[in-house]
Amino acid sequence: MTPIVVTGTPRAAAEDVRALGGHGVATVHEAMGREGLLDPSFRPIYPGAALAGTAVTALCHPGDNLMIHVAVEQCRDGDVLVVATTSPCTDGLFGELLATSLRARGVRGLVIGTGVRDVGPLTAMGFPVWSTAVSAQGTVKATAGSVNVPLVIGGRLVRPGDVVVADDDGVVTVPRPRAAEVAAAAQARAEREERTRAALAGGQLGLDRYELRPLLERLGVRYVPYTPEGEDG
């Protein structure tokens, strides 16, 4: 593939990004029909990290972070940088200095399918990162890749401008054309969950709230009283 940098890519609407970010990964994932989750190997570098933004993508070669530097120029306020490599890599492609550059452009955070380093400084500055490894292994800047092209990361196809939502539960992506639809579905789900939360707090059992007793009957589950003889098998 010829290395390219695509400029001026469209982004999902800011109001849809805000709405999706307000619901978190689990709710968005469920609202989208249990789709969109990246592999659970993507973990935040510090607890409590959360973000929602629009994807700028960078495809790098293993051990080479040249295209991350190229991607910074294409980032703007509200974006999330999403980085994949052409083959598996755990080297620390990203650290504090790149985070400083991204923050100056209003970038919300990073999702990267490699290692990162400078975890202490990144945590101190509150720059959220989801990665598959932590490694101090350095990198070079020698091989061209591409920016703002569709890429596969964590088992998901991510396109520039898609919505990225991440928190302690992981990372979920929402295709840009579906952002408004999924935001509305997430809001409806959140309202249902609030009603369920109130019912459970009031003492209602999940068995009754979710009408699970008929299912247990169909599955042949029997309730039997305890007897001392039962302890003998």
Side-chain angles (χ1 to χ4, degrees):
M1 176 180 178
T2 301
I4 60 170
V5 177
V6 180
T7 64
T9 57
R11 272 83 162 170
E15 60 268 26
D16 295 328
V17 176
R18 284 193 297 271
L20 289 164
H23 294 299
V25 169
T27 297
V28 172
H29 166 61
E30 294 284 356
M32 198 164 50
R34 298 182 180 178
E35 297 178 2
L37 276 182
L38 268 62
D39 186 271
S41 59
F42 285 80
R43 299 303 305 152
I45 61 170
Y46 60 83
L51 63 74
T54 45
V56 169
T57 64
L59 183 63
C60 299
H61 284 255
D64 192 316
N65 71 354
L66 171 63
M67 300 313 291
I68 296 181
H69 289 271
V70 175
V72 171
E73 184 181 28
Q74 302 305 316
C75 291
R76 67 189 195 198
D77 186 40
D79 284 337
V80 175
L81 183 57
V82 179
V83 180
T85 50
T86 55
S87 61
C89 174
T90 59
D91 295 348
L93 267 68
F94 184 92
E96 175 196 6
L97 295 180
L98 274 166
T100 300
S101 185
L102 287 174
R103 172 154 284 177
R105 300 185 73 82
V107 173
R108 303 285 172 81
L110 171 78
V111 175
I112 185 168
T114 73
V116 296
R117 60 184 186 177
D118 301 334
V119 169
L122 288 170
T123 302
M125 67 189 289
F127 189 84
V129 174
W130 283 255
S131 70
T132 55
V134 173
S135 174
Q137 177 63 49
T139 59
V140 299
K141 300 169 182 60
T143 310
S146 292
V147 172
N148 275 335
V149 297
L151 52 77
V152 175
I153 181 170
R156 302 298 308 178
L157 176 63
V158 179
R159 293 181 173 86
D162 286 352
V163 182
V164 180
V165 180
D167 58 25
D168 284 325
D169 289 336
V171 183
V172 65
T173 64
V174 180
R176 180 174 63 88
R178 296 190 61 191
E181 164 210 336
V182 176
Q187 177 62 32
R189 182 176 180 85
E191 291 171 359
R192 290 195 302 272
E193 288 183 346
E194 182 56 36
R195 293 191 293 271
T196 297
R197 186 177 298 109
L200 296 176
Q204 185 179 22
L205 294 174
L207 283 172
D208 299 313
R209 182 72 184 177
Y210 299 116
E211 300 180 347
L212 297 175
R213 295 190 191 277
L215 173 61
L216 294 179
E217 184 176 353
R218 290 196 302 273
L219 294 174
V221 177
R222 296 189 305 126
Y223 287 75
V224 297
Y226 166 80
T227 61
E229 292 80 6
E231 294 183 353
D232 296 330

